[in-house]
Amino acid sequence: MCGIVGLHLREPSLYPQLGALLTDMLGQMCDRGPDSAGMAIYGDKAWSPVGESTVSLLDCPVPAAELAATLSASLDTTVTGIDLHPTTILHGVVGAEDLAAAVRSVVPSARVIGFGDDLTVLKGVGNPIDLANRFGLPSASGWQGVAHTRMATESAVTAEGSHPFSVGPDQCLVHNGSFSNHMSIKHQLERDGVVFDSANDTEVGARFVAKQLAEGVDLEKALLMLNETFDGFYTLLVSTADSFAVVRDAISCKPAVIAETDQWVAMASEYRALANLPGVDNARIFEPEPEEVYVWHR
Ligand SMILES: NC(=O)CC[C@H](N)C(=O)O
């Protein structure tokens, strides 16, 4: 299984409710993925302050404040750290790629799991709703959020194997299913210089999409290329600094439902995760078609 939920808000008055709405959606999907969970929030002003970049990392060997002090000295700017075990968040007035590079050099054993101007990624092992509450997701705000509950198929149950996979700036990809040809695609990407963090099949999809985006391909085209390249089962929710997208494989046996109103676009593995959204009774609700790419822009 695995459970996916995502919410792209169009109506700014709903931004303060993003975390509460997403937590309720995630709670409905706990039984689809009890192993571990993760979430990506776009625009929370405490985790990703305006004008600063944010880096999320796993398994930081030192307290966030200590790492932040070291980074502040080496980058000559103020870096702030937040401990949300096992995730650590760092933000500062410095480019996201520069902050991520500095983190990798100061704490090479830690794993960068997200970076960007607007994005915070949180992941962990355990009951998804317990993790969400521990991270403080219910009080998060923002304009877009994605969450995932994992039942592992392709790699061990670890925080690094949990979704989202966020491997490009402000990008996030979550997956229900399993890719059947991911090893050959991974080897090709490695020959092209792409470096992987985990043995997970979903990371291959995320690295493939990130590579296309980095080369200037737009998100819709990148997902069409993914359709042409990847075999297996997949429902994917992919988000970027300004977009929210859904794509499924040709057979589409992994469930997905989309609901859309003037105020928001939401996607989930099952309708029950959408049932409490405000105004859902008047939403346009549909099941995404096989191999069709759906993209909404901010
Ligand atoms: N159950 C699933 O959908 C698993 C997704 C993915 N193959 C993983 O193992 O992380």
Side-chain angles (χ1 to χ4, degrees), residues 1-2 150-154 161 163 175-178 200-202:
M1 291 214 277
C2 277
R150 181 172 186 231
M151 185 176 283
T153 62
E154 306 298 317
H163 307 208
H175 174 203
N176 175 201
S178 50
N200 186 275
D201 60 328
T202 305

Side-chain angles (χ1 to χ4, degrees), residues 1-4 32-33 35-36 148-156 161-163 165 174-179 182 199-203 233-235 254:
M1 291 214 277
C2 277
I4 297 175
R32 290 187 62 89
D35 291 347
S36 53
H148 185 269
T149 65
R150 181 172 186 231
M151 185 176 283
T153 62
E154 306 298 317
S155 67
S162 65
H163 307 208
F165 283 91
V174 296
H175 174 203
N176 175 201
S178 50
F179 295 126
H182 63 281
N200 186 275
D201 60 328
T202 305
E203 186 185 351
F233 301 124
Y234 54 89
T235 287
K254 297 299 175 188

Side-chain angles (χ1 to χ4, degrees), residues 259-271:
E260 182 173 12
T261 73
D262 291 345
Q263 308 215 310
W264 45 260
V265 180
M267 180 269 175
S269 299
E270 298 180 41
Y271 176 75

Side-chain angles (χ1 to χ4, degrees), residues 74-173:
S74 69
L75 292 166
D76 198 20
T77 188
T78 302
V79 175
T80 304
I82 306 171
D83 281 311
L84 291 172
H85 182 74
T87 304
T88 301
I89 302 168
L90 297 152
H91 52 81
V93 185
V94 55
E97 311 252 7
D98 291 341
L99 184 55
V103 167
R104 285 191 187 98
S105 106
V106 174
V107 282
S109 65
R111 179 85 68 214
V112 171
I113 55 166
F115 63 97
D117 293 335
D118 208 18
L119 171 72
T120 304
V121 177
L122 302 160
K123 304 202 218 189
V125 171
N127 177 278
I129 206 69
D130 291 348
L131 285 168
N133 286 325
R134 207 173 74 218
F135 291 149
L137 183 66
S139 43
S141 61
W143 60 273
Q144 176 164 277
V146 170
H148 185 269
T149 65
R150 181 172 186 231
M151 185 176 283
T153 62
E154 306 298 317
S155 67
V157 178
T158 58
E160 71 179 10
S162 65
H163 307 208
F165 283 91
S166 175
V167 300
D170 289 300
Q171 293 167 27
C172 162
L173 182 147

Side-chain angles (χ1 to χ4, degrees), residues 44-63:
D44 181 272
K45 291 188 172 53
W47 288 338
S48 300
V50 176
E52 299 189 27
S53 66
T54 302
V55 168
S56 307
L57 65 158
L58 272 180
D59 300 328
C60 182
V62 296

